[in-house]
Amino acid sequence: MVDPLLALAALSPLAVVAALLVGALWPATRAMPVAWATAAIVGFVAWNMPVEWVLAASISGVLTAIEILWIVFGALALLYTLMRAGAVDRINAGFVAISEDRRVQVVLVGFFLATFLEGVAGFGTPAAVVAPLLLALGFPPLAAVVAALVGHAIATTFGAVGVPVRPGVEEPLGALESLSSAEAIDVTLQAAGAAALYQVAVGVFMPLVAVGMIVHFFGDPEERSLSAILEVVPLCLFAGIAFVVPFALTALFVGPELPSIVGAMVGAAVVVAVLRAGYLHPDEEWTFRTREHWPDHWIGSIEPGSNGTSSSSDATDGLSDDAPAASMSLARAWTPYVLLVVLLIATRDFTPIGVALTELSALAPAWDAILGTDIGGEVRWAYVPGTWLALSALAAIPLFGMDRGQVESAWREAGQKLVSPAVALVFVIAMVGIMTESGAAPNAPSGDSMMIVLADATASVVGDVYPAVATVVGVLGTFITGSITVSNLTFSQLQYDVAVQLGLPTHHILAAQMVGAAIGNVLAIHNVIAALATVGLVGQEGRVVRLNLFPVLYYVVAMGALVSVVTLL
């Protein structure tokens, strides 16, 4: 039986986040230090964490924050380098050549490109790369972030080459005494297959959800109607089907490593071919209102690109290029991003290079027993995508014949954009560190962390209707930790144990965990902060979380109903 006072104490850091970030619309730079302080007090008072454990958990979080900031810096360095070279204008012209309709661009860039990047890289790379590309196309910065986060959500079920499944689900199940290693693998693969099939039913609508959100929240409020959404329903549904069919078939017959990559590649090829053949394109072109009609909170320190509804003439804003793009071939403009994809695939841990880099990461700066505790941390510079983003940016310099001034300007701008998100990220992940490590403290009550206590409390309150809320546990895990993999690592054992206790099919409850963790990614605070940083809009985290609650609620309701029906059969 969960102690209700302990459960309320565990909930308090999240309540602070909800009240300040989403309710009061405080910027994360103000809200997250307060949330961290709340978690530290709860850890010290309710979980008996010694001061050195609180500090060690926070330091471990800081090391993780450095990895994320390295990814954001790499994405910004690559983007600004290509902007100075004129390559971004050429890339945007290529998208415009397929369609100038903003709704179609959400499908092509916000959905297909983002899901592909999730499949090959993960670690926040899709939003960090796609949001700036949409910005450069002329999207309002806030709209670019929302489209990038929502667009790639379905692909995070299997993440970067299956990491959220293996080791995310397989490892915690393998640690159970009741399961052999072979049984743990079998249950994991069954759960992965079930998750893919659930996504066929629910995720197929995600292109429509992403487009609908952009049209509804960022269209002209005086002309807001369903017609602008209804016009692209055929395209969005076709795009969803073109993705989920190869996505699910790959998960069922190949494994969890490749579904997102195959789904994105096959789906994008089919949709682009259909559009070029003149089918499914909306008759009336839809775009945003002109720049002067945008609310201030839509825009930050970077103006939309020259192919959009407005442009900036200030080169320091990164969207006015020093080199002409008219004579540049589309293939040449895309080369640094193609190189990035090749590097990301070649360095994942299913390749020999990836294995070597994983071993090399063991030589990275690490702290095995921080302040004499059992808590450790490291910065895996040789594996995280930030390294390959930065290398792709360096490769672009000779490719485009850039001079020293252009390069210095681009990289200086990238570094300046990191200052505000660095503060927020350090505190949010330090808070996560305290919540996840609280159960390991020497005198922790029952030996469970704050997150396990929250999940146990949820299970005890809902009882027989647990299938309807199993997805919520996954959402909660990712919202707190910012990682689908960590959510699965943290709650897969709990989900399995609850399913066994209630006599429910374990693989369906685990599938709900996996799908919930995936959609929870659109609310993960440090993902939101990182995406906002790439478009110069730090401080609007609460607005993004508010908007992204809509797809999360859709998933929670739809998955709750589906899992309840399936487990009753």
Side-chain angles (χ1 to χ4, degrees), residues 309-407:
T309 55
S310 65
S311 63
S312 172
S313 60
D314 183 358
T316 63
D317 280 340
L319 293 171
S320 178
D321 303 307
D322 298 324
S327 61
M328 186 183 299
S329 71
L330 189 58
R332 185 182 175 203
W334 270 107
T335 297
Y337 279 116
V338 173
L339 174 62
L340 171 63
V341 170
V342 171
L343 288 172
L344 288 172
I345 294 175
T347 56
R348 296 305 89 188
D349 56 12
F350 63 86
T351 69
I353 296 174
V355 172
L357 287 171
T358 302
E359 293 172 355
L360 185 60
S361 288
L363 303 176
W367 200 341
D368 293 330
I370 301 174
L371 303 182
T373 68
D374 296 335
I375 301 170
E378 61 181 348
V379 179
R380 298 169 299 171
W381 62 270
Y383 184 78
V384 295
T387 300
W388 313 114
L389 284 157
L391 283 177
S392 298
L394 290 172
I397 297 169
L399 175 67
F400 299 120
M402 300 177 68
D403 61 40
R404 181 173 178 176
Q406 290 174 306
V407 176

Side-chain angles (χ1 to χ4, degrees), residues 468-530:
V469 298
T471 306
V472 178
V473 176
V475 172
L476 179 65
T478 305
F479 174 69
I480 298 172
T481 68
S483 167
I484 299 96
T485 302
V486 175
S487 177
N488 289 342
L489 282 167
T490 304
F491 294 124
S492 288
Q493 268 194 16
L494 172 72
Q495 298 269 29
Y496 181 88
D497 286 339
V498 171
V500 170
Q501 291 172 19
L502 298 177
L504 300 168
T506 55
H507 60 288
H508 283 291
I509 299 300
L510 287 168
Q513 160 65 34
M514 292 165 62
V515 174
I519 193 61
N521 191 61
V522 306
L523 301 179
I525 301 300
H526 80 241
N527 286 340
V528 174
I529 295 169

Side-chain angles (χ1 to χ4, degrees), residues 387-442:
T387 300
W388 313 114
L389 284 157
L391 283 177
S392 298
L394 290 172
I397 297 169
L399 175 67
F400 299 120
M402 300 177 68
D403 61 40
R404 181 173 178 176
Q406 290 174 306
V407 176
E408 287 182 350
S409 173
W411 287 59
R412 181 172 58 252
E413 185 80 9
Q416 290 170 350
K417 289 292 185 293
L418 280 184
V419 177
S420 291
V423 174
L425 276 170
V426 163
F427 279 102
V428 70
I429 302 180
M431 178 195 77
V432 169
I434 293 172
M435 295 186 73
T436 54
E437 297 291 348
S438 54

Side-chain angles (χ1 to χ4, degrees), residues 14 75 83 120 156 173 289 376 382 388 410 437 443 454 485 491 524 547:
L14 302 184
M83 285 174 174
V120 298
T156 62
L173 293 186
R289 290 176 293 166
W388 313 114
E437 297 291 348
N443 298 311
L454 284 173
T485 302
F491 294 124
L547 290 173

Side-chain angles (χ1 to χ4, degrees), residues 92-115:
N92 292 344
F95 283 122
V96 170
I98 299 174
S99 176
E100 295 188 39
D101 192 296
R102 301 304 189 185
R103 299 165 298 182
V104 178
Q105 291 170 354
V106 170
V107 173
L108 296 178
V109 184
F111 180 68
F112 281 117
L113 181 58
T115 50

Side-chain angles (χ1 to χ4, degrees), residues 9-22:
L11 182 63
S12 56
L14 302 184
V16 168
V17 172
L20 299 183
L21 196 69
V22 183

